[in-house]
Amino acid sequence: MAPPADSTDAVVVKDHPVFGRSAFAARDIKAGELVTCEPALLRYEADDKVLMGLMKQVAAHIKAHPEEAGDATGIDPRDWNSACGFYLDFCRAPPDVQDAVLGDMFAAPEGDGVDGTAPVRRSAAQARVLAALAPGVDKILAILAAVAASGAAAGAVPPPPPRPAPTDAAVVQRVLLAAELNVHQFMARGGVMFRVASKLAHTCAKPNTYYKSHEGKGCNVALQVGRAARRRGAAARPRVPAPRPPARPALTGTRPRRRAPQDIAAGELLTTSYLPSDLQVMGRSGRQAYLWDAFSFRCACPRCADEPDHLAAIPCMACAPEAARRTERGHLPEAVVNCPNFETPPVGLLVFHPARADPAAPARRSALDALDLAEHRRRHAAHAHAHAADGSCCGHDHGADAAEDPASAAARAALLAEEAASAEAFKPWVCGKCGVELPDSDAALLGDCPLVRSASTRIENWAYRSARMYDPRQEGDRLQDLLVVLGPYHWAVHAAAVSQTEYMRMVVGHVTGLMRQPGGAKPEHMRALRDAAATVSNNLRRTYEWLTTVGHMAPGLAAHTMMESLTLGGSELLQGASHLAMTPRLRASEAALAASMQQAGATLIAAAAPALNCLRGWSLDAPHPLVYAADGARALAAAAAAAAPRGAAAKDGGLSVAELKDFLPAAAAEGKGAGKGAGKKKGKK
């Protein structure tokens, strides 16, 4: 099929009072319709040979001029690769494209403390280096122009010579910031910027479009927006809801009732999500921290600005029974940590209400973080200077010997005084059981315990960093630490569990691959498969139940939040179960494992069905990767069930062929043809 035609006529770009230059629907847009389909304004690939040459120049300059490079020495090589790739593509672009990048595509980050965010600090350091390398960049551009002219057809008009590379570091930083804040990832090998699609606003609720690169173009497809999601996207009146029983359906293999979808109306703000799939379960504080670190803005979508943050629920000690109270150290007891049922927690839950919070708190904490960063750099520089002569280290922190700069110390004292006054005036944490109102301080929430007194940062900051940096292969105790400090109702626990699930899903896939090899899987591999499959199923099931009970999410919104984890986890379990059933030497000995994996996989994909249905029937000829994965796994499961001995599935507790056909109508109807068609498109996923 031919690639889709370029089209942005359904979109108009204009100013938004909160989000700046944003994209709006110019007309009514039906679900599944292409909202945008456009070629890249700029595009770079990380493995470009010319880019590698510029990277070598950067490394040589930093080594030769360490005093000028400053913070550039500590920038990750991958960030250097992205910055150099986009900057080089900018320098090679025609003048009208360069003007668009520096003009319409650039919006300076705003807000107190924005100069301390990672994109601004990183781009400033990179801009100093690249501006100094302008003569070398000009030589690269001249060589590329000569090569292009020599390869042009006879009689063709040669392209105009490129503009000289900017020598002003401020101009270079504008280019790099435009890339930091607007570029879409391109198949993990580079990035692309679009004139229209890069202006879609972010929302932490369910967006009304989905981005996908297709046939070399950037496409945004309109999603089905249910009534509940539309209410979530609208402004909500601040309120403190009365406690109510969280009557949400449990995770089962049955299909939830679908609400009638709604199209995007003319004049409606077009939205997408800037959050990676593994961060979708984060609460407000985690989302705000990520967006501030990655995009230099504080999210002001209705979900962040108005709605109570049920995902950050913390056990309330004001109404906790004796068996559920924290220890002297500040840890939660097993009665709370190992609570088997989210619908009936043994304690009341404190929930953060943004409308009741101090509006100056984010800026104040950003200023404190900036002071902490400056103090850390001062100590590091003092320690490095003390051992500059011989390069040795005595183990003493020489930076701690020098007192903090008087101006910094005075600023810190003033900020801490403001925070103490804020704690008396604002009490945004409210218990849904006893109604107690508490200020936003760790001592108020967790008690004046050694855990709080010895902490070097806010508990929410620690939770965000722990969840983001959690590595299940090396930090087995980190998840337990989060549980005993925050409890099983807090988003950081479930974000770490999702990371653990991703690793265990790879284990399932690895052992499944070993089954198909001549040597087969060994007993230790089967034990690992059994443990990994149980972890994938239990973690995803618990997180889904947490979202639909403690998180007060409707099943459709919970499915959208966990769409990728549920779909990929369920697909991996179904594929593993299918290969177990189709391997003669394992069919009998591992029948119980295959049946449990089959049931768990089918249940997870059924939970994701409301979100997957929003991605079906769109106007692109290639199916969405998650739809393809789910349909392929279900077709394989149907084939395995049909090939199994009669009655085997029913005897072992798995799904029978009839049940699979009821659960997988598309896969059962298409049969082997679905697997063949999907396999041809796997390389374009």
Side-chain angles (χ1 to χ4, degrees):
M1 180 179 288
D6 297 352
S7 175
T8 57
D9 64 330
V11 182
V12 60
V13 176
K14 56 184 179 180
D15 290 330
H16 186 280
V18 176
F19 306 121
R21 297 289 288 173
S22 302
F24 293 80
R27 55 175 174 78
D28 292 346
I29 305 173
K30 294 187 177 297
E33 184 181 347
L34 276 178
V35 179
T36 68
C37 182
E38 56 181 326
L41 180 67
L42 285 179
R43 167 177 162 178
Y44 73 90
E45 295 193 20
D47 54 358
D48 184 271
K49 292 182 179 179
V50 179
L51 171 58
M52 295 299 103
L54 181 57
M55 287 285 291
K56 291 180 180 179
Q57 292 189 36
V58 168
H61 180 86
I62 292 176
K63 185 176 182 180
H65 306 280
E67 70 287 350
E68 297 179 9
D71 293 343
T73 56
I75 296 177
D76 191 287
R78 291 170 295 183
D79 293 323
W80 266 117
N81 188 286
S82 300
C84 290
F86 186 84
Y87 178 68
L88 192 58
D89 203 45
F90 168 84
C91 292
R92 298 164 62 177
D96 63 316
V97 173
Q98 292 189 8
D99 293 340
V101 172
L102 291 173
D104 197 42
M105 300 305 301
F106 177 78
E110 299 177 350
D112 295 331
V114 72
D115 291 339
T117 59
V120 177
R121 288 189 292 108
R122 183 169 54 239
S123 62
Q126 292 169 331
R128 290 194 297 270
V129 174
L130 291 174
L133 291 175
V137 175
D138 287 336
K139 291 181 180 179
I140 294 175
L141 297 177
I143 294 173
L144 293 174
V147 172
S150 64
V157 178
R163 286 176 175 175
T167 57
D168 186 351
V171 175
V172 178
Q173 187 181 14
R174 283 177 71 94
V175 175
L176 300 181
L177 271 177
E180 289 264 12
L181 308 180
N182 291 289
V183 163
H184 293 65
Q185 187 176 8
F186 176 69
M187 297 194 65
R189 298 197 315 270
V192 289
M193 177 186 287
F194 302 101
R195 289 183 184 270
V196 175
S198 294
K199 289 185 170 61
L200 267 66
H202 164 79
T203 180
C204 292
K206 182 179 178 181
N208 54 21
T209 73
Y210 187 94
Y211 167 77
K212 186 178 186 299
S213 60
H214 182 65
E215 300 288 349
K217 299 181 180 181
C219 301
N220 283 87
V221 182
L223 295 178
Q224 294 176 342
V225 182
R227 297 188 183 93
R230 190 173 291 272
R231 285 199 301 271
R232 167 65 62 88
R237 294 181 62 85
R239 62 187 181 90
V240 179
R244 58 187 176 89
R248 304 289 186 189
L251 178 57
T252 65
T254 59
R255 294 185 176 183
R257 182 175 61 87
R258 292 176 55 194
R259 294 179 178 270
Q262 295 184 6
D263 300 330
I264 300 175
E268 189 172 340
L269 179 69
L270 297 176
T271 58
T272 186
S273 177
Y274 299 175
L275 297 174
S277 59
D278 58 332
L279 304 186
Q280 295 287 341
V281 298
M282 279 190 170
R284 178 182 181 273
S285 63
R287 300 192 306 269
Q288 293 275 337
Y290 172 78
L291 294 169
W292 184 245
D293 287 346
F295 298 99
S296 300
F297 75 90
R298 292 188 176 92
C299 183
C301 76
R303 184 182 180 192
C304 289
D306 301 323
E307 297 186 9
D309 187 14
H310 294 285
L311 303 187
I314 297 176
C316 175
M317 294 296 101
C319 59
E322 189 64 29
R325 301 191 68 82
R326 294 182 182 270
T327 65
E328 293 183 0
R329 172 67 182 160
H331 291 168
L332 291 167
E334 291 188 7
V336 176
V337 171
N338 298 325
C339 174
N341 192 343
F342 288 123
E343 294 189 4
T344 56
V347 292
L349 298 179
L350 292 164
V351 173
F352 183 82
H353 295 260
R356 302 168 60 99
D358 182 2
R364 183 169 56 246
R365 286 176 183 163
S366 294
L368 284 170
D369 290 341
L371 290 174
D372 291 341
L373 178 61
E375 176 66 7
H376 171 75
R377 289 177 175 172
R378 182 193 66 80
R379 292 191 176 192
H380 178 75
H383 185 78
H385 179 74
H387 295 288
D390 57 1
S392 63
C393 183
C394 61
H396 179 67
D397 185 3
H398 296 275
D401 296 338
E404 186 177 10
D405 175 74
S408 299
R412 184 187 302 276
L415 290 169
L416 291 176
E418 290 179 16
E419 194 161 84
S422 173
E424 294 295 326
F426 297 91
K427 297 183 178 180
W429 289 88
V430 180
C431 177
K433 183 177 182 180
C434 68
V436 67
E437 302 176 0
L438 298 178
D440 189 20
S441 71
D442 293 340
L445 298 175
L446 278 68
D448 186 17
C449 56
L451 178 68
V452 173
R453 291 195 297 269
S454 62
S456 59
T457 184
R458 285 289 311 270
I459 294 298
E460 281 289 332
N461 294 342
W462 169 78
Y464 169 72
R465 294 169 187 168
S466 297
R468 283 282 286 148
M469 302 175 65
Y470 174 62
D471 186 350
R473 296 167 295 184
Q474 302 176 358
E475 300 177 305
D477 296 334
R478 180 66 60 89
L479 187 56
Q480 186 64 24
D481 292 343
L482 290 168
L483 273 168
V484 298
V485 173
L486 301 170
Y489 318 104
H490 194 275
W491 62 262
V493 172
H494 296 276
V498 169
S499 298
Q500 183 187 53
T501 301
E502 295 303 306
Y503 172 68
M504 291 300 177
R505 184 172 60 81
M506 290 191 295
V507 173
V508 173
H510 176 68
V511 178
T512 301
L514 291 177
M515 294 180 203
R516 302 196 294 267
Q517 295 181 4
K522 299 179 180 179
E524 57 268 27
H525 295 143
M526 300 309 299
R527 288 193 295 270
L529 174 63
R530 190 173 290 105
D531 294 341
T535 301
V536 169
S537 175
N538 293 337
N539 282 359
L540 294 179
R541 176 181 56 81
R542 291 276 292 171
T543 299
Y544 181 91
E545 292 177 356
W546 163 72
L547 288 175
T548 55
T549 52
V550 176
H552 290 204
M553 280 192 185
L557 187 56
H560 172 79
T561 302
M562 294 186 64
M563 174 173 60
E564 184 166 323
S565 298
L566 289 170
T567 303
L568 296 182
S571 299
E572 204 72 70
L573 292 179
L574 277 181
Q575 291 178 15
S578 301
H579 286 290
L580 279 174
M582 291 188 294
T583 304
R585 62 184 186 83
L586 297 175
R587 182 181 298 153
S589 60
E590 301 295 344
L593 174 60
S596 65
M597 290 175 62
Q598 184 186 75
Q599 184 67 54
T603 300
L604 295 177
I605 293 181
L612 292 175
N613 290 336
C614 293
L615 301 176
R616 298 183 185 274
W618 62 6
S619 50
L620 295 179
D621 60 305
H624 188 278
L626 294 179
V627 173
Y628 161 72
D631 288 350
R634 296 192 291 189
L636 183 62
R646 185 177 299 275
K651 176 183 66 177
D652 295 323
L655 299 180
S656 66
V657 177
E659 290 170 325
L660 274 169
K661 287 182 177 179
D662 180 62
F663 170 67
L664 319 166
E670 296 170 10
K672 296 181 179 179
K676 290 180 181 179
K680 291 179 181 178
K681 295 171 183 172
K682 185 174 183 181
K684 299 180 182 178
K685 195 161 89 169

